[in-house]
Amino acid sequence: MKVVIATHNADKLEEIREGINNLGWEVVSLEEFPKIGEIEENGKTLEENALIKAREVFEKTGFPTISDDTGLEVDALDGAPGVYTARYAGENCSYDDNVNKLIKDMDKVPAANRGAEFKTVMVFKDKNKELIVEGVVKGKIAREARGEDGFGYDPIFYVEEYDKTFAEITMTEKNKISHRGNAIRNMIDTLKDNYPQYINQKDKEMA
């Protein structure tokens, strides 16, 4: 089965591809559909943005589509940046811009109050259904960037389980506990319930 991941972000595509590798699907991104440009994510919630992307991409490609939207919710900032996570430092900002702004905004916050969580809302859409799941991981905001791997806020998202930031662990390790990894596993379980024919025998044996 051919599935479109509704993103131009190569880092996000790699994580999702890794997570659903056992399903035996042909996975493509929006790079295969150059006529689909950037999709305006003007929803007020992560779920609204994920649905906007899934619906538009399915309508324009006709292929089953997976989309997601992810937010970093920081306790000391009353849940910000939340739905504005990707553009926290402004429109067209870089990963580093966002990380540096968050480090600055959290400069005077004591260790006990640096809790945060990443949340991913993921949507699977085809001609029959819209399936919606989410995945969450809790951590803390580090005072400085650490690690060379990962992307986005990974260099400052510290997880006690590994005593490292997401940028200091491998993608395989990250996917075991991450927000997106949890969302992928929840989506696979939901697909098993709704579309068992989409799950190949290898994955059924591993479940």
Side-chain angles (χ1 to χ4, degrees):
M1 186 175 74
K2 187 171 185 176
V3 176
V4 182
I5 308 302
T7 186
H8 290 283
N9 185 314
D11 297 312
K12 181 184 291 190
L13 174 66
E14 188 176 2
E15 281 196 358
I16 295 176
R17 193 193 298 273
E18 172 85 6
I20 63 176
N21 182 53
N22 289 324
L23 299 183
W25 295 348
E26 179 187 355
V27 177
V28 298
S29 76
L30 293 184
E31 298 305 307
E32 302 289 327
F33 303 93
K35 291 184 179 180
I36 302 178
E38 290 297 327
I39 298 170
E40 184 178 3
E41 299 175 36
N42 53 12
K44 295 181 180 179
T45 65
L46 300 177
E47 181 174 318
E48 287 179 4
N49 281 338
L51 283 166
I52 287 169
K53 289 183 281 189
R55 289 167 178 168
E56 182 166 341
V57 172
F58 176 74
E59 179 182 351
K60 291 183 176 179
T61 68
F63 291 110
T65 298
I66 291 177
S67 70
D68 80 1
D69 198 32
T70 292
L72 175 63
E73 300 177 354
V74 180
D75 296 345
L77 301 179
D78 296 324
V83 73
Y84 301 106
T85 293
R87 52 190 186 276
Y88 184 49
E91 295 296 331
N92 302 314
C93 60
S94 68
Y95 291 153
D96 286 344
D97 292 336
N98 283 330
V99 166
N100 291 334
K101 176 173 170 54
L102 187 54
I103 289 175
K104 181 179 179 181
D105 290 349
M106 295 285 288
D107 181 55
K108 299 185 184 303
V109 178
N113 299 329
R114 300 181 72 86
E117 71 175 25
F118 262 126
K119 180 183 293 183
T120 290
V121 176
M122 185 169 287
V123 172
F124 174 93
K125 173 158 181 68
D126 67 1
K127 63 181 179 180
N128 297 312
K129 294 183 180 181
E130 292 177 345
L131 305 177
I132 305 171
V133 301
E134 69 175 43
V136 175
V137 61
K138 294 185 179 297
K140 293 184 176 182
I141 303 301
R143 292 194 177 276
E144 60 183 12
R146 291 162 35 189
E148 302 296 330
D149 294 323
F151 64 99
Y153 296 85
D154 286 356
I156 56 171
F157 191 80
Y158 169 84
V159 285
E160 290 185 345
E161 183 170 345
Y162 290 115
D163 189 26
K164 294 178 180 179
T165 69
F166 270 167
E168 294 178 296
I169 60 178
T170 66
M171 182 185 296
T172 299
E173 290 173 323
K174 179 184 175 184
N175 277 345
K176 288 179 180 178
I177 64 168
S178 76
H179 46 299
R180 187 166 288 112
N182 289 331
I184 290 169
R185 282 182 286 276
N186 291 337
M187 179 59 75
I188 291 173
D189 288 341
T190 301
L191 284 168
K192 287 176 181 176
D193 292 338
N194 288 270
Y195 292 115
Q197 69 272 26
Y198 285 179
I199 310 299
N200 68 20
Q201 188 61 38
K202 178 181 177 182
D203 187 72
K204 289 178 182 179
E205 292 171 354
M206 294 177 64

